[in-house]
Amino acid sequence: MHVTLIGRVNVGNSTLFNTLTERHDAIVSSIPGTTRDTKHAHVTWRNCSFTLSDTAGLDVRPSNALEQNVRTLSMNRIKESDVLIIVVDIHDGLTSADNTIIRLARKEHKSLILAVNKADSPKIRMQADVFYQTGLPVHLVSAKNGSGTGDLLDAVVAAYSPKKK
């Protein structure tokens, strides 16, 4: 099974990747566009093993050749995946770029999970209502402190389980 993290720039894909893999292979920075390539790691959760990929933040309107190349690499990874975890930032709400990424992901006919990141406290989690309108399974997580990531991994395993041979 192959699982890929996708989302806009600076929503926390790389931090979530590091948390889920329990490694620090992905560079984490507040500078937009730091991640340009794809990182992969092996993850085992509840006796299910899979490859997890961290992609560069998707720019829905690339403005130069480098951004277009990064987008192409990310889209190729998406096409090769079985499950897509769409990462969004709870502080930003559901942006038009998030909706565009969700539409792109739906076109690929993959299992989709929405990881609402940076939900670090009960007060912040109260802002999550808007994400349920996507119709996707919503998981409130904090990549920074790890809360909600076990439930997220359970959802990944469940999303793929019916497809096992």
Side-chain angles (χ1 to χ4, degrees), residues 120-135:
D120 300 323
S121 72
K123 183 178 178 182
I124 293 169
R125 289 184 184 117
M126 298 293 287
Q127 302 170 22
D129 291 355
V130 68
F131 298 101
Y132 291 92
Q133 74 186 14
T134 64

Side-chain angles (χ1 to χ4, degrees), residues 8-15 18 26-36 57 89 92 117-118 144:
R8 304 182 274 114
V9 173
N10 278 30
V11 295
N13 289 3
S14 296
T15 303
N18 287 342
I27 297 170
V28 175
S29 170
S30 61
I31 300 169
T34 299
T35 302
R36 295 287 186 185
D89 184 331
D92 297 338
N117 193 24
K118 303 180 186 178
K144 186 176 171 182

